[in-house]
Amino acid sequence: MGFDSHLVDTRGLYLKAADAKDGREHSFVVYELTDKKDMLPREILLGRIRVKDQNSVKEIDTMRLRLSLDGKPIKGMHAAGVAGKVKHRSVPGDSAQAKEFLAAESKFWLTEVDLAKLVK
């Protein structure tokens, strides 16, 4: 996803799949620069993942989207398939898929989250 520095720290909130109405794990992470005197936020990463386990076969569907601090999509990654054969596809920040994902996750975080169930 482009976070290739060992100097990056994270702060995030997560909602476990068992606590989400849609059965997916959701995450909201802010990456920070830690190589400076002051900790400065760098980017936001939204994510959601669904893992279905049937007859010892795990199917994975995940989407991650990088955002600038002003909320504009930068780039995403969609991965789906059976564990061990997951196909990864880059998603441009200005694509319809990125915009739909951002709208859905924004709605989710603003209206559907039980704050008591969030994990840091």
Side-chain angles (χ1 to χ4, degrees):
M1 291 294 296
F3 302 108
D4 54 359
S5 171
H6 68 286
L7 301 173
V8 176
D9 196 9
T10 62
R11 303 265 187 264
L13 295 174
Y14 304 89
L15 187 67
K16 296 177 183 176
D19 295 328
K21 293 178 186 177
D22 64 2
R24 294 184 270 202
E25 179 182 302
H26 295 261
S27 60
F28 179 92
V29 179
V30 177
Y31 286 85
E32 296 177 334
L33 293 173
T34 57
D35 61 341
K36 296 190 177 186
K37 188 175 182 180
D38 297 319
M39 302 263 299
L40 301 172
R42 182 166 88 165
E43 291 180 339
I44 299 167
L45 180 64
L46 290 177
R48 72 178 174 208
I49 183 169
R50 179 186 312 242
V51 178
K52 291 182 184 178
D53 194 355
Q54 294 180 350
N55 300 325
S56 299
V57 176
K58 288 187 180 184
E59 286 188 38
I60 300 167
D61 186 3
T62 182
M63 178 71 176
R64 303 276 189 246
L65 183 63
R66 290 173 48 211
L67 305 169
S68 62
L69 293 178
D70 62 1
K72 293 181 183 162
I74 298 170
K75 191 171 187 176
M77 178 70 69
H78 180 247
V82 176
K85 297 180 182 179
V86 175
K87 293 185 181 181
H88 299 266
R89 190 173 54 81
S90 178
V91 178
D94 61 351
S95 69
Q97 184 179 9
K99 292 175 184 175
E100 289 169 10
F101 176 76
L102 178 56
E105 284 301 289
S106 296
K107 180 181 179 212
F108 173 82
W109 284 102
L110 292 172
T111 64
E112 299 178 27
V113 173
D114 180 353
L115 299 179
K117 294 183 179 179
L118 289 176
V119 178
K120 288 184 179 182

